[in-house]
């Protein structure tokens, strides 16, 4: 069964066309990287896939069921969306914030159960943030913050995770940590779509890449097939050097192309 | 919460029963009869409104008056401030009035609404006296309060004296009544359908504001005042010697210049505010002004240019 | 530490509110006080004492409690929903619309006919405001649009209130309107309690039910939506809840400012900034503060009673400034 299946999605904001006729599939245990230049519609596509933007009937199926047929709360139990920026409007404690991930699993008036607490504890440990569970979010560094918000998404125990630039602004070590975490989650069966700008990490960790540009998908498939010189030129207007060290591929941008 | 109120109701009912059972039943019966038919003359009367204060002072014996409003002894607004000295004052709060245990409360129809409704709810004998806009209203209000006080005869006398005095004033009519206007702080004027208008007409003046279509209180632009050129301008008594924003219009150069071409009249405020027989003082004062005006016009032949 | 603090906070708030409520029953312009309260409870009080305590002070205290609760809760809900600590219950226009409705009954003379005319006018005004806001904000979850709609309704209603004052042909009416606009609980009766209580209770239910959605909104609108919350529904519930409760509160007591702004602000740190925990705490805090302010009104007044709205603003404004200065220092 496909976790996500999009058939011909088009997104417009008023007169402005963002994306046109996008087809997209995500299978169980797959980690897909969404790449493309700024403003190409990556975030819009991710939000659409999360069911946050309106789609036409039969255009988007999540876990084999059409979006319209989903009860919002049930969908929220299966799908976690991690927006860009890791915003917390109030200075709540880390534990409280991560506990928010349990909201879809609790009834309207139900208090948090022992199971909820255990799952939150697991999520905190999995993201290596258990040691500052009682600290408030506003006292965290950027790296700590990113891990806490990931823990929040994991506390949902979703079947699929849609993450918007989860490693933006992190130092190299934390970038690796998060991508490793994604890899192990997808190995355990979770389907993950992540917007990512670092093409070396994208190449290294993602099963598939989807390259967006000019309102459409330029290329998709396994990373090496997508990140060709022509595609990079067309999508990012760059030339790049690609190589490998100890079987790890890398990509270094060399120059921008002037038309 | 509802349970609490049920309990409260229960307590209240029980308390009532205790009272009834403790007193000999015939006494209660007489008491009920007395209070129901309300034959007894009120012995403790409280007024919470400036105007009812004055009517009460005119109609009741002093010992009967339990309390007057705190405005009653202010001589800048009450025509009977002097009479009110020495009588207990109230601020129109239900609690302080209840404690006086009055058997009659006089209130106005506008002020202290929540208090009036609450006192009514608590079964106090309260009458609401409307604002008087005409001489008929004054007669009506006097009769209304006199009846409540069981002083019908006194009320009757007061009305008769009022009518006699009024008739005398009305008898001195002259053709071509001069035009007057009220002009006060904040360019405030008084048009038709007001007590002041009634007073003005009785004294044989035309009310400029009413003729300009103002009903009730309104604002008269300085410009309109000057273009309409009334024969007399009536202002209230000056309150603050240092002036204020409200009196700015009086300091205006245009007004100062215009003042010399017309007659300025000052009439003490308390005489206008409330509908009591004392409004006739205002009528008579204005009548004097009109007669003076007529005398000047006769000597000069024409009204002042 | 946080877990220990919370039950403590609620008991403190609960006990203070209870004491303030008792204080509100015991303190008044007359001698009637604590000892008389005992005689009433034991059923041996005389008629006057009973009436003063049960018919004048008790409804006043109950209204203080309910209105304070409404303002505290409403403020906490709106601050949570808009994620803005400067939001207050009047922001969406309900207070000014209710004031307008009430003022119109004074102007038209309806309020002189029966006691409930004025509060009914106020509630009608508040409900019309909701319709207008829903119409203006539309089926759009954007909070900015809600705020703009609120500002529009507020300024329009205030303008109309000024117009009514402007047109009042009788100085007595103008004075009455001015006094009413200042907000007061003086001499309200059980009629007012019965009229406003159902609206306030219904409003509270709608607002208290939004606790989890407000928690989810900590993460922003998208994340809250992805947690299964329909923001359009939540906005509608909140707008209706505020209109019912705050509208009814304004209808019986006039506009009482600052409680809904200051109380959530003050208590937020004590509930570890969690929006859902703030709701009840802020409600109780609002009730306590309103009751205390209403007691202050009676103690401070010699002669003419001060207006409650004036006192809350006098206490609230400097206090609020202090709070802002303190938070600024913490940020630096």
């Amino acid at each position: 069964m496909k976790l996500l299946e999009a058939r011909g999605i088009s997104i417009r904001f008023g007169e402005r066309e963002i994306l046109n006729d996008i087809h997209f599939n995500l299978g169980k245990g797959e980690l897909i990287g969404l790449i493309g230049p700024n403003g190409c519609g990556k975030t819009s596509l991710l939000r659409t896939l999360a069911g946050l933007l309106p789609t036409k009937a039969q255009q988007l199926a999540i876990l084999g069921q059409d979006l319209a047929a989903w009860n919002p709360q049930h969908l929220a139990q299966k799908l976690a969306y991690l927006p860009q920026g890791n915003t917390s409007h109030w200075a709540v404690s880390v534990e409280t914030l991560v506990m928010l991930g349990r909201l879809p699993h609790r009834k309207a008036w139900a208090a948090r159960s022992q199971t909820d607490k255990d799952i939150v504890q697991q999520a905190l440990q999995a993201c290596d943030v258990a040691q500052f569970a009682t600290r408030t979010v506003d006292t965290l560094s950027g790296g700590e913050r990113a891990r806490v918000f990931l823990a929040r998404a994991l506390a949902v125990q979703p079947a699929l995770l849609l993450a918007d630039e989860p490693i933006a602004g992190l130092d190299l070590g934390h970038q690796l940590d998060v991508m490793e975490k994604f890899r192990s989650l997808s190995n355990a069966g979770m389907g993950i779509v992540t917007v990512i700008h670092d093409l070396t990490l994208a190449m290294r960790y993602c099963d598939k890449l989807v390259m967006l540009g000019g309102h459409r998908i330029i290329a998709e498939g396994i990373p090496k097939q997508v990140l060709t010189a022509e595609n990079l030129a067309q999508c990012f207007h760059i030339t790049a050097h690609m190589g490998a060290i100890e079987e790890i591929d890398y990509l270094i941008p060399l120059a921008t192309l002037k038309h | 919460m509802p349970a609490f109120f049920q309990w409260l109701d229960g307590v209240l009912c029980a308390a009532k029963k205790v009272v009834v059972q403790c007193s000999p039943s015939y006494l209660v019966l007489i008491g009920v009869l007395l209070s129901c038919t309300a034959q007894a003359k009120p012995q403790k009367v409280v007024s919470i409104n400036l105007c009812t204060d004055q009517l009460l002072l005119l109609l009741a014996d002093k010992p009967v008056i339990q309390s007057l409003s705190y405005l009653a002894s202010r001589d800048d607004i009450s025509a009977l401030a002097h009479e009110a000295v020495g009588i207990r004052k109230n601020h129109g709060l239900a609690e302080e009035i209840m404690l006086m245990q009055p058997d009659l409360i006089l209130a106005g129809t506008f002020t202290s609404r929540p208090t009036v409704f609450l006192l009514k709810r608590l079964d106090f004998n309260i009458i609401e006296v409307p604002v008087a806009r005409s001489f008929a209203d004054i007669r009506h209000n006097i009769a209304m309060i006199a009846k409540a006080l069981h002083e019908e005869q006194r009320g009757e006398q007061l009305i008769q004296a009022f009518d006699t005095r009024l008739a005398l004033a009305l008898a001195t009519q002259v053709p071509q009544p001069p035009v007057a206007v009220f002009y006060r702080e904040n360019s405030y004027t008084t048009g038709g359908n007001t007590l002041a208008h009634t007073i003005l007409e009785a004294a044989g003046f035309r009310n400029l504001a009413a003729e300009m279509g103002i009903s009730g209180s309104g604002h008269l632009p300085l410009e309109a005042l000057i273009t309409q050129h009334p024969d007399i301008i009536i202002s209230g008594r000056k309150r603050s010697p240092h002036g204020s924003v409200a009196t700015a219009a009086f300091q205006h150069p245009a007004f100062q210049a215009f003042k010399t071409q017309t007659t300025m009249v000052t009439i003490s405020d308390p005489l206008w505010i409330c509908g009591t027989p004392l409004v006739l003082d205002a009528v008579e004062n204005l009548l004097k002004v009109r007669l003076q005006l007529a005398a000047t016009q006769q000597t000069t032949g024409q009204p002042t240019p | 530490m946080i877990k220990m603090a919370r039950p403590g906070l609620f008991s403190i708030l609960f006990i203070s509110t209870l004491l303030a409520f008792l204080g509100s029953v015991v303190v008044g312009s007359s001698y009637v006080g604590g000892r008389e309260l005992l005689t009433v409870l034991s059923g041996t009080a005389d008629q006057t004492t009973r009436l003063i305590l049960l018919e004048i002070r008790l409804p006043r205290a109950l209204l203080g409690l309910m209105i304070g609760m409404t303002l505290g809760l409403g403020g906490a809900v709106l601050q949570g929903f808009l994620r803005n600590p400067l939001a207050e219950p009047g922001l969406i226009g309900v207070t000014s619309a209710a004031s307008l409705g009430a003022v119109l009954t004074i102007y038209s003379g309806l309020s002189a006919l029966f006691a409930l005319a004025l509060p009914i006018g106020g509630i009608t005004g508040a409900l019309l405001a909701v319709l207008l806001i829903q119409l203006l904000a539309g089926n759009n979850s954007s909070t900015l649009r809600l705020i703009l709609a609120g500002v529009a309704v507020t300024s329009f209603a205030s303008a109309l209130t000024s117009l009514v004052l402007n047109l009042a042909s009788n100085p007595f009416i103008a004075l009455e309107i001015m006094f009413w606009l200042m907000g007061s609980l003086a001499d309200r009766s059980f009629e007012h309690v019965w009229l406003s209580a159902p609206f306030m209770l219904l409003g509270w239910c709608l607002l208290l039910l939004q606790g989890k959605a407000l928690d989810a909104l900590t993460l922003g609108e998208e994340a809250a939506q992805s947690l299964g919350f329909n923001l359009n529904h939540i906005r509608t519930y909140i707008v209706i809840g505020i209109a019912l409760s705050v509208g009814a509160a304004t209808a019986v007591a006039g506009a009482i400012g600052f409680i809904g702004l200051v109380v959530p602000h003050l208590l937020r740190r004590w509930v570890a900034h969690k929006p859902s925990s703030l709701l009840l705490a802020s409600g109780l805090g609002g009730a306590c503060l309103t009751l205390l302010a209403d007691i202050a009104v009676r103690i401070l007044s010699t002669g003419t009673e001060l207006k409650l709205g004036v006192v809350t603003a006098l206490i609230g404004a400097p206090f609020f400034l202090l709070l802002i200065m303190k938070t600024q220092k913490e940020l630096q």
Side-chain angles (χ1 to χ4, degrees):
Chain A
M1 184 185 63
K2 283 171 189 152
L3 296 182
L4 269 179
E5 191 179 0
R7 312 175 200 94
I9 285 180
S10 299
I11 305 169
R12 316 181 64 89
F13 291 139
E15 288 297 297
R16 201 157 63 90
E17 184 180 48
I18 307 294
L19 290 170
N20 188 23
D21 197 28
I22 303 291
H23 292 259
F24 183 93
N25 289 310
L26 173 73
K28 203 165 184 280
E30 244 182 343
L31 172 54
I32 295 185
L34 219 50
I35 58 173
N38 295 129
C40 72
K42 300 184 297 293
T43 297
S44 300
L45 180 59
L46 202 69
R47 288 168 66 185
T48 310
L49 294 177
L52 300 177
L53 290 179
T55 45
K56 293 196 185 95
Q58 309 303 326
Q59 274 190 336
L60 178 66
I62 299 169
L63 297 170
Q65 190 177 328
D66 193 63
L67 178 64
W70 275 100
N71 166 318
Q73 194 183 355
H74 293 161
L75 179 61
Q77 293 169 357
K78 299 290 182 194
L79 182 150
Y81 175 71
L82 189 57
Q84 219 171 327
N86 300 328
T87 334
S88 171
H89 290 280
W90 304 113
V92 292
S93 74
V94 167
E95 197 183 5
T96 307
L97 189 102
V98 174
M99 187 59 89
L100 294 176
R102 297 308 297 163
L103 282 175
H105 298 273
R106 282 157 62 188
K107 292 219 171 63
W109 281 104
R112 38 180 144 179
S113 65
Q114 192 54 48
T115 326
D116 290 330
K117 285 176 193 165
D118 294 343
I119 290 168
V120 166
Q121 210 52 45
Q122 282 166 24
L124 286 169
Q125 270 156 11
C127 297
D128 196 22
V129 289
Q131 65 275 23
F132 37 73
T134 53
R135 269 170 63 186
T136 56
V137 196
D138 54 335
T139 62
L140 302 178
S141 73
E144 291 165 341
R145 216 177 158 89
R147 275 140 64 204
V148 166
F149 277 78
L150 181 59
R152 196 288 294 165
L154 295 188
V156 178
Q157 294 198 313
L160 67 158
L161 170 65
L162 306 176
D164 198 352
E165 297 194 34
I167 60 170
L170 297 191
D171 65 49
L172 297 177
H174 284 121
Q175 290 190 4
L176 280 179
D177 284 349
V178 170
M179 291 314 288
E180 285 289 346
K181 188 75 219 156
F182 277 10
R183 190 63 260 170
S184 65
L185 287 168
S186 72
N187 287 345
M190 191 185 287
I192 302 177
V193 183
T194 176
V195 173
I196 185 166
H197 277 299
D198 187 317
L199 298 180
T200 301
L201 289 178
M203 220 175 357
R204 180 169 164 192
Y205 287 102
C206 295
D207 299 311
K208 255 174 77 181
L209 293 182
V210 173
M211 183 186 262
L212 296 175
H215 314 308
R216 61 182 186 90
I217 293 176
I218 294 176
E220 61 181 315
I222 59 166
K224 275 196 164 173
Q225 285 174 356
V226 172
L227 298 175
T228 61
E230 307 92 89
N231 285 347
L232 287 173
Q234 192 192 345
C235 180
F236 295 104
H237 302 290
I238 55 165
T239 59
H241 165 75
M242 280 208 271
I245 296 173
E246 293 172 5
E247 294 187 1
I248 296 171
D249 296 315
Y250 65 86
L251 184 149
I252 301 169
L254 292 178
T256 52
L257 296 167
K258 308 284 184 206
H259 298 288
Chain B
M1 223 131 82
F4 171 69
F5 290 116
Q6 269 171 11
W7 168 82
L8 204 70
D9 257 354
V11 170
L12 278 173
C13 285
K16 265 179 203 159
K17 271 180 203 153
V18 170
V19 173
V20 172
Q21 278 162 8
C22 289
S23 24
S25 53
Y26 59 91
L27 272 184
V28 173
L29 199 68
I30 292 169
V32 167
L33 278 176
L34 279 177
S35 65
C36 287
T37 50
Q39 283 304 315
K41 193 167 164 177
Q43 292 304 312
K44 291 167 156 186
V45 186
V46 169
S47 159
I48 59 171
N49 172 286
L50 175 66
C51 296
T52 53
D53 285 343
Q54 297 174 46
L55 289 173
L56 181 60
L57 283 167
L58 290 171
L59 286 165
D61 295 324
K62 274 239 174 125
V64 169
I65 305 174
Q66 179 101 347
S67 172
L68 296 174
S69 87
Y70 69 105
L71 298 171
S73 51
R74 273 184 51 181
D75 62 2
D76 58 337
I77 47 177
S78 169
L80 293 171
H82 218 64
E83 318 281 317
V85 174
I87 298 175
R88 190 173 163 190
K89 302 297 181 306
N90 68 70
H91 290 86
L93 285 174
E95 210 172 299
E96 56 173 339
I97 290 159
M98 272 197 65
L99 285 171
M100 298 174 191
Q101 302 263 21
D103 42 18
L104 176 64
I105 300 166
L106 305 181
T109 42
F110 280 110
T111 40
S112 314
R113 293 321 292 168
T115 310
V116 170
F117 288 125
L118 182 60
L119 289 169
K120 266 191 196 169
R121 207 179 126 83
L122 301 179
D123 283 337
F124 277 90
N125 182 17
I126 180 162
I127 62 167
E128 295 162 74
V129 183
V131 174
R133 295 200 165 89
S134 63
F135 295 134
D137 287 349
I138 294 178
R139 290 185 201 100
H140 170 262
N141 288 353
I142 292 173
M144 183 176 174
I145 294 175
K147 185 161 177 254
L149 290 167
H150 293 275
E151 293 280 9
E152 283 94 340
Q153 215 185 335
R154 232 156 129 174
E156 206 75 359
Q157 283 167 5
L158 197 63
I159 292 173
Q160 240 160 46
F162 173 76
D163 283 340
T164 321
R165 223 176 124 190
L166 178 64
L168 213 64
L170 290 175
T172 40
Q173 288 288 5
V174 287
Q176 277 204 329
V179 177
V181 71
F182 292 95
Y183 192 68
R184 313 203 29 158
E185 296 89 343
N186 278 326
S187 340
Y188 206 62
T189 191
T190 314
N193 197 23
T194 59
L195 186 62
H197 177 76
T198 309
I199 292 171
L200 209 56
E201 280 199 317
F205 285 96
R206 283 159 51 197
N207 182 0
L208 174 63
E211 284 173 10
M212 286 172 68
I214 296 172
S215 173
S217 302
H219 292 266
L220 185 68
L222 187 52
E223 224 178 282
L225 177 76
I226 292 170
T227 35
Q228 297 295 325
H229 208 295
D231 298 310
I232 70 163
I233 296 177
I234 305 164
S235 62
R237 201 185 45 191
K238 205 169 173 185
R239 283 190 193 160
S240 151
H242 310 296
S244 66
V245 183
T247 58
F250 293 142
Q251 314 298 333
H252 197 286
F255 183 77
Q256 292 289 344
F258 179 65
K259 231 167 82 170
T260 56
Q261 301 171 24
T262 180
T263 311
M264 291 289 293
V265 179
T266 312
I267 285 181
S268 143
D269 284 342
L271 299 180
W272 314 99
I273 297 176
C274 290
T276 69
L278 293 163
V279 298
L280 292 179
D281 286 358
V283 172
E284 283 162 6
N285 287 346
L286 279 172
L287 213 54
K288 271 182 216 148
V289 172
R290 205 196 69 196
L291 293 174
Q292 273 169 13
L293 207 65
T296 348
Q297 277 170 17
Q298 260 171 10
T299 50
T300 57
Q302 278 298 310
T304 37
Chain C
M1 191 193 93
I2 291 160
K3 274 179 190 162
M4 285 304 289
R6 234 177 270 165
L9 174 75
F10 278 102
S11 7
I12 290 170
L13 281 174
F14 193 77
I15 292 169
S16 331
T17 309
L18 201 72
L19 286 177
F21 182 82
L22 276 176
S24 186
V25 174
V26 168
V27 175
S29 58
S30 59
Y31 67 88
V32 181
R35 211 173 329 133
E36 284 75 19
L37 182 64
L38 291 180
T39 62
V40 167
L41 290 175
S42 63
T44 54
D46 64 89
Q47 173 79 0
T48 311
T49 311
R50 234 176 42 227
L51 285 181
I52 285 182
L53 285 174
L54 297 184
E55 293 286 340
I56 298 182
R57 300 234 192 112
L58 187 60
R60 181 171 186 161
L62 277 171
L63 283 174
L65 184 83
M66 294 196 304
I67 289 168
M69 179 94 184
T70 294
L71 295 174
L73 176 61
V77 166
L78 270 186
Q79 292 186 2
F81 182 65
L82 301 175
R83 284 150 284 141
N84 187 338
L86 289 177
E88 56 109 16
L91 186 76
I92 60 167
V94 170
T95 309
S96 4
S99 295
L100 175 65
V103 162
L104 279 175
T105 64
I106 300 177
Y107 180 70
S108 63
L110 272 178
S111 69
L113 296 182
F114 58 106
L116 294 186
L118 193 142
I120 288 173
I123 289 169
T124 314
L127 295 180
L128 286 177
V130 177
L131 281 180
L132 203 61
I133 286 163
Q134 285 293 95
L135 218 68
L136 286 171
N139 256 343
N140 187 322
S141 65
S142 151
T143 47
L144 184 66
R145 239 173 119 170
L146 175 65
I147 296 175
L148 290 177
V151 169
V153 171
T154 302
S155 16
F156 190 60
S158 310
L160 286 180
T161 304
S162 303
L163 179 70
V164 170
L165 258 174
N166 197 187
L167 291 180
S169 63
N170 178 331
F172 298 110
I173 293 180
L175 201 67
E176 190 63 11
I177 291 176
M178 296 280 284
F179 275 140
W180 191 85
L181 285 174
M182 290 182 207
S184 167
L185 284 172
D187 291 345
R188 304 305 194 263
S189 71
F190 266 110
E191 276 182 303
H192 292 94
V193 177
W194 300 140
L195 177 77
S196 59
F199 290 96
M200 289 201 225
L201 287 174
L202 199 63
W204 295 352
C205 289
L206 280 174
L207 295 179
L208 285 170
L209 277 170
Q210 308 311 319
K212 282 184 178 169
L214 296 181
D215 281 350
L217 274 167
T218 301
L219 299 169
E221 295 190 0
E222 286 187 330
Q225 227 179 317
S226 79
L227 284 168
F229 295 97
N230 184 328
L231 296 184
N232 276 332
H233 291 177
I234 285 156
R235 189 203 58 203
T236 308
Y237 289 142
I238 288 177
V239 169
I240 294 176
I242 296 266
L244 290 175
S245 56
V246 177
T250 311
V252 289
I256 294 166
F258 276 98
I259 301 276
L261 180 65
V262 170
V263 171
H265 222 45
L266 194 65
L267 292 173
R268 183 164 289 120
R269 63 174 62 200
W270 297 104
V271 295
H273 294 256
K274 198 176 167 190
S276 60
S277 314
L278 185 59
L279 299 187
L280 193 60
S282 182
L284 285 173
C288 187
L289 200 62
T290 308
L291 285 167
L292 288 178
D294 192 40
I295 293 172
V297 159
R298 284 173 267 177
I299 292 176
L300 295 176
S301 308
T302 50
T304 314
E305 205 178 90
L306 291 173
K307 296 292 175 187
L308 180 58
V310 176
V311 171
T312 56
L314 277 178
I315 303 172
F319 183 75
F320 190 64
L321 274 178
L322 211 75
L323 215 66
I324 289 175
M325 269 155 42
K326 225 175 127 193
T327 15
Q328 227 162 23
K329 257 184 209 153
E330 276 168 18
L331 284 176
Q332 289 161 359

